[in-house]
Amino acid sequence: MNDMAKNLILWLVIAAVLLTVFNNFSVENAPNTMNYSQFVEQVQNQQVRSVTIDGYTINGERSDGSSFQTIRPSADDPKLMDDLLSHNVTVIGKKPEEQSIWTRLLIASFPILLILAIFMFFMRQMQGGAGGKGGPMSFGKSKAKLLSQDQIKTTFADVAGCDEAKEEVEELVDFLRDPTKFQRLGGTIPRGVLMVGPPGTGKTLLAKSIAGEAKVPFFSISGSDFVEMFVGVGASRVRDMFEQAKKQAPCIIFIDEIDAVGRSRGAGMGGGNDEREQTLNQLLVEMDGFEANEGIIVIAATNRPDVLDPALLRPGRFDRQVVVPLPDIRGREHILNVHLRKVPLADDVKPSFIARGTPGFSGADLANLVNEAALFAARRNKRLVSMEELELAKDKIMMGAERRSMVMTEKEKLNTAYHEAGHAIIGLVAPEHDPVYKVTIIPRGRALGVTMFLPEQDRYSLSRQQIISQICSLFGGRIAEEMTLGPNGVTTGASNDIKRATELAHSMVAKWGLSEEMGPIMYDEDESHQFLGGSMQGGSKLKSGETTSRLDKEVRKIIDECYAEAERILHENRDKLDAMADALMQYETIDADQLKDIMEGRTPRPPKDWDDNGTHGGSPVTGEPNKEAGASEASDVEGDEEDDDTPGRRPSDPLGGPAGS
């Protein structure tokens, strides 16, 4: 219900109340009434002094001074005047009221005005009410939400972890504050800024902080809001959005997920989408056409820049591409400081240690980590969030939630313990492998057990030796099962390990040029543009049957060498394999310090959360990651995973990013 309808109802209520009050007063103050027969009788008895005749109403005064009122009948009484005059009654006539021409005109035109008002009311409702949005006639209107400069409280101080991106957009703020600074030197500000980065890195937050710093209106809309089932609606909304922006200039238009409307035209199997292409064409014209849009800066965000139309990315439209990457260790620490300001913290909280143990986390992941830690503290009825809750939250996000209620037989637990111990020992012995941070046989998420690796520093590429060591560690679980259960006792728990090892070996040969036999040649087809108008054949034409056979042989050679090396390492460390499996059966989770004790031949120390009664109080928590464990920049998680069909392994990023849960 809009304001017009509300006002109409309010006035009707007021009128009804006033009418009721007036009627009550008129009843109370009305003179004594009598019927016409009584009136005539009193006239004839000399009891009436004077009368005032107003149409059918007769108001009079008796001889005793009292007043009265009567209504004469519609039938004419020709003797009335004679009776009044013969009985000395003073007769007063009242001049009939004459309506002004404006009153008569208003009364005559009132029905027409009422019809027009009703018609306009329904038309306004169909167009979406007072705001002009939401009605059936408003599908050509822009759905952009306008935030005034007073509504935006976000500033650059609320954005952390993307210093380079902030530097790129700071001059936008300077231009919006003082455009003459650039114009007097002949410079023009970029008309469009495209923010590119993985989900959760803060692209929307950065755009909002630009508007907050510049103190200008901010239009926000999603790319999917333009496209409808009716052809031409998207283009109409683009026109309407820019028309509204011109009235608010200087201002910012932010289009989130622009790839929904900005995909390459005429691409894809089965032809293009005509409505989406018309919308894109209109957007191209509005951003850089015959009519200039001074003072309007378009900021768009996407995590798929490869699918955008080239005409959209050319200078004059999106002049600048700002990459908002995943934060490094310093950026993660700054982001954590921003989010930790919102929760009460204990004295032992050290954001730098959390940042070292959360490699590959985005800003959204870190915000989720702080929130999970606050929830853990609330469940324990604590008033402060300590390092223990933050570590528990980190383990939950990286490895999944603990499932202590899951029933496993002792045989399955022992097999899982040997499996995870096999991964851990090879990770500790193999050259250039990521250090082991934690091993557990507590089911987490879909995994029956988890081995967690954390590299010692930020890493953006892998050496051949690192890949070889990673393949060896992937086979460690299967080999440990074979050593303890025999060839016929090996389970399906290594299915995902085998898949990942095969993918790494295949990429070494076919993508990364790390095979002497095949040389530095790209053999794999490029599937990135298969559904964007690219060739369905890709690079497969480059491979003959003989080449494919040689590729398979080289992949098998790498797999066999890594399998043999992993088998040698575990046989040489059989005593440590047994000791680690026993420790896992006793404590369920062992950390880097306990792993160090086992590898040095000592009895592993109890976990820090192991109480005097010998019961496990939760996952081991350490305030500072052990330097030798390398709890720092990236993670790799192995896990004895239960699949829908067969048990498998928890996947992880071959380049050392965080494993999926």
Side-chain angles (χ1 to χ4, degrees):
M1 184 178 294
N2 56 19
D3 294 337
M4 179 178 177
K6 292 179 180 178
N7 292 335
L8 180 61
I9 294 174
L10 178 61
W11 282 111
L12 289 175
V13 172
I14 294 174
V17 172
L18 292 176
L19 183 61
T20 303
V21 173
F22 289 154
N23 286 337
N24 291 336
F25 277 111
S26 63
V27 171
E28 292 176 359
N29 299 329
N32 295 327
T33 58
M34 67 175 68
N35 57 43
Y36 188 71
S37 299
Q38 292 174 335
F39 166 66
V40 173
E41 182 180 356
Q42 290 185 4
V43 171
Q44 293 176 353
N45 293 332
Q46 301 290 331
Q47 295 178 358
V48 178
R49 179 184 301 171
S50 64
V51 294
T52 301
I53 301 175
D54 183 10
Y56 289 97
T57 304
I58 300 176
N59 294 301
E61 183 181 355
R62 298 185 181 91
S63 300
D64 58 2
S66 62
S67 61
F68 66 91
Q69 185 182 82
T70 186
I71 306 297
R72 72 178 180 85
S74 58
D76 292 336
D77 184 2
K79 296 181 179 181
L80 175 61
M81 291 303 297
D82 294 338
D83 289 341
L84 292 174
L85 294 175
S86 61
H87 292 89
N88 299 320
V89 178
T90 303
V91 180
I92 303 172
K94 190 173 182 181
K95 182 180 179 181
E97 295 182 359
E98 292 184 2
Q99 295 179 339
S100 65
I101 186 172
W102 298 110
T103 303
R104 286 180 284 175
L105 181 62
L106 179 61
I107 294 174
S109 60
F110 179 75
I112 300 175
L113 294 176
L114 181 61
I115 294 173
L116 288 176
I118 294 174
F119 177 76
M120 293 177 63
F121 172 77
F122 282 106
M123 285 297 297
R124 192 175 180 86
Q125 288 294 108
M126 293 179 67
Q127 292 178 359
K133 298 179 181 180
M137 300 294 291
S138 66
F139 38 71
K141 300 292 184 180
S142 171
K143 292 187 176 182
K145 298 178 182 178
L146 173 61
L147 299 176
S148 65
Q149 56 188 18
D150 298 330
Q151 293 177 279
I152 303 175
K153 307 299 182 183
T154 306
T155 63
F156 284 148
D158 300 314
V159 182
C162 51
D163 295 336
E164 294 82 3
K166 284 201 292 187
E167 292 175 2
E168 287 280 338
V169 298
E170 277 180 353
E171 66 182 41
L172 295 179
V173 176
D174 294 337
F175 174 80
L176 291 169
R177 288 177 175 172
D178 184 19
T180 58
K181 174 182 176 182
F182 299 89
Q183 292 172 350
R184 65 170 173 258
L185 296 176
T188 58
I189 201 67
R191 296 190 182 183
V193 176
L194 181 65
M195 294 186 178
V196 180
T201 51
K203 300 182 290 296
T204 303
L205 183 66
L206 184 59
K208 190 176 291 186
S209 67
I210 296 172
E213 290 282 350
K215 300 297 182 183
V216 297
F218 182 81
F219 289 88
S220 175
I221 193 171
S222 172
S224 60
D225 289 334
F226 291 111
V227 183
E228 292 282 356
M229 62 179 293
F230 302 106
V231 176
V233 171
S236 174
R237 288 179 176 173
V238 172
R239 287 191 295 269
D240 185 69
M241 180 179 67
F242 276 88
E243 286 297 328
Q244 295 181 33
K246 290 175 186 176
K247 299 175 183 177
Q248 302 286 341
C251 65
I252 292 175
I253 296 176
F254 176 65
I255 306 176
D256 201 6
E257 304 297 343
I258 194 174
D259 52 277
V261 69
R263 287 178 177 265
S264 298
R265 290 167 290 182
M269 296 182 295
N273 185 307
D274 186 59
E275 162 63 3
R276 183 177 54 76
E277 291 184 5
Q278 288 191 29
T279 305
L280 176 58
N281 290 336
Q282 187 63 44
L283 182 61
L284 297 176
V285 172
E286 291 290 345
M287 291 188 68
D288 186 22
F290 283 101
E291 185 178 356
N293 292 318
E294 298 295 337
I296 300 176
I297 297 178
V298 181
I299 301 177
T302 182
N303 48 28
R304 292 295 310 276
D306 54 310
V307 305
L308 296 180
D309 194 280
L312 195 63
L313 302 178
R314 73 159 176 82
R317 291 190 176 117
F318 284 109
D319 307 84
R320 182 173 301 177
Q321 293 190 25
V322 177
V323 179
V324 187
L326 292 172
D328 57 10
I329 181 172
R330 198 169 3 173
R332 293 195 297 275
E333 183 177 353
H334 293 163
I335 293 173
L336 283 168
N337 286 327
V338 170
H339 293 296
L340 288 173
R341 290 201 301 258
K342 305 174 184 177
V343 297
L345 298 177
D347 295 335
D348 64 340
V349 174
K350 298 179 180 179
S352 60
F353 297 149
I354 306 171
R356 291 173 60 191
T358 52
F361 273 42
S362 66
D365 294 327
L366 294 171
N368 185 37
L369 186 148
V370 174
N371 182 63
E372 288 287 345
L375 295 179
F376 272 121
R379 293 191 197 108
R380 299 178 174 187
N381 297 319
K382 289 188 174 182
R383 295 184 177 181
L384 300 175
V385 177
S386 65
M387 196 71 178
E388 181 180 2
E389 283 78 38
L390 289 167
E391 286 284 344
L392 289 174
K394 182 187 71 174
D395 290 346
K396 178 181 178 181
I397 293 173
M398 298 182 73
M399 299 185 292
E402 291 185 355
R403 294 191 297 168
R404 293 186 175 274
S405 61
M406 184 176 179
V407 178
M408 294 178 60
T409 64
E410 287 299 314
K411 181 179 179 181
E412 288 176 327
K413 287 182 65 176
L414 182 61
N415 182 53
T416 303
Y418 272 106
H419 190 115
E420 301 305 327
H423 287 306
I425 288 176
I426 295 181
L428 291 166
V429 175
E432 298 186 31
H433 196 283
D434 300 333
V436 183
Y437 171 59
K438 187 179 293 185
V439 184
T440 179
I441 59 172
I442 299 174
R444 284 180 173 269
R446 296 180 59 200
L448 301 179
V450 176
T451 301
M452 185 176 180
F453 303 93
L454 290 178
E456 295 178 340
Q457 58 187 0
D458 275 337
R459 186 179 62 198
Y460 304 101
S461 61
L462 289 172
S463 67
R464 189 178 189 278
Q465 181 59 60
Q466 288 173 329
I467 301 173
I468 292 295
S469 296
Q470 194 173 111
I471 296 175
C472 291
S473 68
L474 286 169
F475 285 122
R478 176 186 172 89
I479 296 172
E481 291 183 11
E482 187 174 352
M483 291 172 60
T484 55
L485 301 176
N488 293 328
V490 176
T491 67
T492 58
S495 61
N496 195 255
D497 291 336
I498 296 171
K499 175 185 176 183
R500 291 169 54 203
T502 306
E503 289 174 350
L504 283 173
H506 181 82
S507 296
M508 287 178 63
V509 177
K511 288 184 179 180
W512 301 331
L514 298 178
S515 168
E516 295 181 1
E517 173 69 21
M518 304 306 297
I521 300 176
M522 176 74 172
Y523 292 99
D524 264 358
E525 59 270 17
D526 184 10
E527 299 178 355
S528 59
H529 296 282
Q530 187 176 94
F531 297 100
L532 299 175
S535 172
M536 290 296 296
Q537 298 296 326
S540 58
K541 293 182 179 179
L542 298 176
K543 291 189 294 185
S544 64
E546 180 183 355
T547 301
T548 303
S549 177
R550 292 173 58 200
L551 283 172
D552 293 340
K553 290 180 180 179
E554 188 66 14
V555 170
R556 178 59 186 267
K557 177 183 175 183
I558 293 174
I559 293 293
D560 290 343
E561 291 176 351
C562 291
Y563 196 92
E565 177 64 15
E567 199 170 22
R568 182 190 65 81
I569 293 174
L570 288 182
H571 278 292
E572 291 179 356
N573 295 274
R574 177 58 190 265
D575 56 336
K576 299 179 178 62
L577 178 67
D578 294 332
M580 192 175 297
D582 292 339
L584 285 170
M585 290 295 292
Q586 181 180 0
Y587 301 122
E588 293 185 324
T589 301
I590 55 178
D591 59 14
D593 294 333
Q594 294 168 293
L595 291 170
K596 182 180 179 182
D597 291 340
I598 293 172
M599 296 305 292
E600 292 178 356
R602 299 193 301 269
T603 302
R605 70 196 75 174
K608 294 182 180 180
D609 64 340
W610 199 267
D611 56 30
D612 296 335
N613 297 325
T615 58
H616 188 41
S619 298
V621 175
T622 56
E624 178 177 0
N626 185 276
K627 294 182 180 179
E628 298 181 42
S632 29
E633 299 309 314
S635 69
D636 187 12
V637 178
E638 308 273 358
D640 194 3
E641 182 178 318
E642 50 173 356
D643 288 335
D644 294 336
D645 298 324
T646 58
R649 314 302 305 169
R650 174 181 292 279
S652 67
D653 187 349
L655 293 181
S661 297

